[in-house]
Every structure is written in structure tokens, then in C-alpha cells.
Amino acid sequence: MSWIVGIIGLSVNVVAQELLTVRDAVAIALENNYDIKLYENSLQVAKENVTRGNAGMLPTITGNFSQSNSVQNSNQTQITGEVRSLDNAKNNSMTYGINVGWTIFDGLGMFSRYETLKEVQKQGELELKRAVIQRVSDVITTYYTIVEQQNLLDALDSSIVISRERLRTAENRFSIGKASRLEVLNVQVNLNTDESARIKQATLVRNLKIELNNLLARDLQTDFSVVKDVSINNDLKLGDILEQAKVTNPDLLLLSVNRRIAELEEKTVKANRYPVVRLNGGYNFSESESSLGFVAQSRSRGLTYGITASINIFDGYNQRRNERIARLNIENVELQNAQRQIQIESQISQAFNTYRTNLELAQIEEKNEQIARQNLNITLEKYKIGTLSAVEFRDAQENFINAVARYNAAKLQAKLAETVLMELIGKIDLLEN
């Protein structure tokens, strides 16, 4: 019967829902996700820290003010032998002014510190990029998993429609004596099995939607529908991916930045071998009053200036130890870089094999699904006219459900492998999702 073609692949319980595309899901996740906001704030902190003043390259200016007062009972014996005494003698002093200090040379450590601050900013940018790519990948993966499971749920809904039609046919045949009661009972068991499978599948889809809502940082109970088609890029080439990953993979770029930071840290440590030269200056005012003494009151003001220099002569061999540690840190980053390159190449190669295999499987399973669909239509017609047993029809029905499941699984695995490849490259193009 022609109506069966329209039923296959359609849900019998269609409810108006928000249509959520994968692009919409990614946009919501990037706007709401807490991890990304934390990385954005960390990056902003790194940007604020990139200043010459933070690196110690600029002078410091401080304003100073101090005042002290005292009330004392004093006794003074002069060199002449005269004794002077005064109870509640008051002594007051006040000093205020502006002081300037400027380190003009520290073994070039200030310049390496400034470059380090710039590299820390790059590090924050790459960590944010990696977090964004990871979140986009998680959203795409979960979204297309929902697509796969929703398609399977729709197939189960179609199977239930067919099972109900089988039950109605079996009951009609039983009523006119062309079928046994056992056949009716078997068909009823098949229908109950389909409905049980449908309940489990619907629960799985609901849980996946909750998981996606969690990634989107929105109300977990928000219901939505998904686009049923899975778009897969069929033109990826292993060589191109491997070469691209070397220059755009966030992990490799981060290791490159970390190596630069380690090199700058070594320069900063070595700068401690050189003298530190600092200019000092200021303009200060001072006043003092004394109830007892040779000077009853004094005032002064004026400019102070000078230069100081210091050099580390011996610090218990700590300088040598710090330089060795700095060199070892550079070597560790180089080893991590080589190790991570091998790991990424391995991950790309495995993901590419999965991608190509499932592309081929998807083509095969698409044909199998079409054949299973045609076979189901034919067997239903034969069953209705009594030339096919219920067991044979059930086999065709289960073959159709299995073919749909395999086809959807192959498409999903190909899409997930493609997503992994794009994540390892460091570029997920939403225009193709």
C-alpha cells in the first residue's frame, strides 16, 4: 500500500517544537558557556598586565608624609655643668615630600619580563581559542548524536504504526477464520515489544537533549527539534590535515608559546648576574619644634638626588641553580612539543581512518536501508493478502529497523570523525555543519 511509504521515517507523535539548528546551538553555547567566560576574563587580565610599568621599565613616584609628637619630662646636663629640666616638654616633627625611583639597568631583565607578559597574553588567547573549539566540538557531537537517535526513534514510531496495522489485519483474519488466535497473540507481543523499545529510545533522546541544554547553559527542560539531515564533508585529505595541524593546532601553538616563555624566563634569571643601577631623587619639606634644646624650631626644604648600584657577588649558588632549572624547563617544553606532535598525528590518522570507513559504510547502509524499505512494503502487501506468514513479515520489519540504525550510526560516526579532525586542526567551519 502506498501510504506505508509516507509513514516510514515520520513520527506519529508530532509536536510543535523549537527547531534548533547546529549553528544556533553553537551560537548559544558560545554566548552562555561559563568556561568560555572564565577564559575571556583570564585573557582580559593578561591583557591588562602587558604594561612597561608592570615589567619594571618605568619610574615610580611616591608621596610621603610623616608626623610625630611627644610630651616628656626632660633633664639635660650641658657640657658647662648647667642642668636644665622641663616637665611636659613638647617635641614635634613633620616631614613630607615626593620621591622618585627609576631602575635604569637590571641586566636587561625588564625587557625579558615585558616580552614574557606579551607571551602570556598570547597564551591566554590560545587557551580561549582551544576552549571555544572544544565547546563547539562538544555541541556538534551531542547535536548529531541527537539527530541519529531521533531518526531511530522516528523509525520505531513507523514500526509501531505498521505493527498496529498488522494487529488489525490479524484480528480481521481471525474473525473470518483465516488465522489462528496464536497469530494474533504473536502480533500483539510484537507490538508490545516495539512500544517498549520506543519508550526506551524516547528516554535516550530526552536525556541527550538535557545534555545539550547543559552545554548551552540554558534551562535543561527546554524542548526542541533537530534537523534530520547530517551534512558531511567528503573531500578531506589526510596529508592536508596533517600539514594544517602543525601550524594551527592550539595545543602545538600553546607549546610554542610556552617554549618562548621558558626562554624569556632564562633571560630574566641570567639578568641577575649583572648590576642593578637605580636613580633616586625627591623634593622634601621638614619642620621640627622642641621645648627644650639648643634648637627650638627648624624648617628645611630641598632637592635630594643620587644613584645606587648593587650586584650579586655570592648567593649560596642559587643563581647557578636557577639557571640550570630554567634550561631544564626549556628542554621539557621541547620534549612535550615533540611528544604532542606524535600524539596529534596519531589521533588524526585514526580519526581519518574512522572518517573514511564510515563514509563508505554510510553509502552501503543507505542502499541497504532503501532495499529494506522496499522489502517491508512488499512483505506488508503479501501479509495482508495472506501469502506471507507473520514471522516472515516480522523479520522484514526488524531488518528495516536494523538497516535504519546502521545507516544512522555510520553517518554519525563519519560526522564525529570529521569533527575530531577539524578540532585537531584547530578550525571548525560552521558553514559546513
Side-chain angles (χ1 to χ4, degrees), residues 59 119 201 223 228 230-231 236 282 402 429:
E119 293 300 320
Q201 186 65 22
D223 199 7
K228 300 300 178 65
V230 179
S231 175
L236 298 180
N402 292 334
D429 188 359

Short mmCIF file of all heavy atoms in Angstrom, two decimals, residues 59 119 201 223 228 230-231 236 282 402 429:
data_model
loop_
_atom_site.label_atom_id
_atom_site.label_comp_id
_atom_site.label_asym_id
_atom_site.label_seq_id
_atom_site.Cartn_x
_atom_site.Cartn_y
_atom_site.Cartn_z
N PRO A 59 59.67 54.70 35.89
CA PRO A 59 59.97 55.16 37.24
C PRO A 59 58.76 55.06 38.15
O PRO A 59 57.62 54.98 37.69
CB PRO A 59 60.39 56.61 37.04
CG PRO A 59 59.69 57.03 35.77
CD PRO A 59 59.67 55.80 34.91
N GLU A 119 53.82 37.30 25.82
CA GLU A 119 53.62 35.89 25.52
C GLU A 119 52.52 35.29 26.39
O GLU A 119 51.77 34.42 25.94
CB GLU A 119 54.92 35.12 25.73
CG GLU A 119 56.04 35.47 24.76
CD GLU A 119 55.66 35.21 23.32
OE1 GLU A 119 55.01 34.18 23.06
OE2 GLU A 119 56.00 36.05 22.46
N GLN A 201 13.88 4.39 23.75
CA GLN A 201 14.53 5.28 22.80
C GLN A 201 14.14 6.74 23.06
O GLN A 201 14.98 7.64 22.98
CB GLN A 201 14.17 4.89 21.37
CG GLN A 201 14.89 5.67 20.29
CD GLN A 201 16.39 5.43 20.29
OE1 GLN A 201 16.85 4.41 20.78
NE2 GLN A 201 17.15 6.36 19.74
N ASP A 223 12.63 22.05 25.39
CA ASP A 223 12.46 21.03 24.35
C ASP A 223 12.72 21.67 22.99
O ASP A 223 12.52 22.87 22.78
CB ASP A 223 11.06 20.44 24.41
CG ASP A 223 11.00 19.09 23.67
OD1 ASP A 223 12.07 18.60 23.26
OD2 ASP A 223 9.89 18.55 23.52
N LYS A 228 17.08 16.82 10.60
CA LYS A 228 17.28 15.38 10.48
C LYS A 228 18.46 15.00 9.58
O LYS A 228 19.01 13.91 9.70
CB LYS A 228 16.00 14.73 9.91
CG LYS A 228 14.78 14.95 10.77
CD LYS A 228 14.96 14.37 12.16
CE LYS A 228 13.75 14.63 13.03
NZ LYS A 228 12.55 13.94 12.56
N VAL A 230 22.25 14.99 8.06
CA VAL A 230 23.63 15.14 8.52
C VAL A 230 24.50 15.49 7.33
O VAL A 230 24.63 14.70 6.39
CB VAL A 230 24.14 13.85 9.20
CG1 VAL A 230 25.60 14.03 9.64
CG2 VAL A 230 23.27 13.48 10.39
N SER A 231 25.07 16.69 7.34
CA SER A 231 25.94 17.13 6.24
C SER A 231 27.38 16.77 6.57
O SER A 231 27.91 17.13 7.61
CB SER A 231 25.81 18.64 6.04
OG SER A 231 26.72 19.10 5.07
N LEU A 236 37.90 15.64 2.61
CA LEU A 236 39.07 15.80 3.48
C LEU A 236 40.19 14.88 3.03
O LEU A 236 39.96 13.72 2.67
CB LEU A 236 38.69 15.49 4.93
CG LEU A 236 37.62 16.41 5.55
CD1 LEU A 236 37.35 15.98 6.99
CD2 LEU A 236 38.08 17.86 5.51
N GLY A 282 64.20 63.33 44.92
CA GLY A 282 63.00 63.74 45.63
C GLY A 282 63.07 65.19 46.05
O GLY A 282 64.12 65.85 45.97
N ASN A 402 16.81 -2.32 11.78
CA ASN A 402 18.26 -2.50 11.90
C ASN A 402 19.01 -1.75 10.80
O ASN A 402 20.09 -1.19 11.04
CB ASN A 402 18.61 -3.99 11.84
CG ASN A 402 18.12 -4.74 13.07
OD1 ASN A 402 17.95 -4.16 14.14
ND2 ASN A 402 17.88 -6.04 12.92
N ASP A 429 34.63 24.78 10.83
CA ASP A 429 33.87 25.66 9.95
C ASP A 429 32.38 25.36 10.08
O ASP A 429 31.90 24.34 9.60
CB ASP A 429 34.32 25.49 8.49
CG ASP A 429 33.70 26.52 7.57
OD1 ASP A 429 32.90 27.34 8.07
OD2 ASP A 429 34.00 26.51 6.37
#
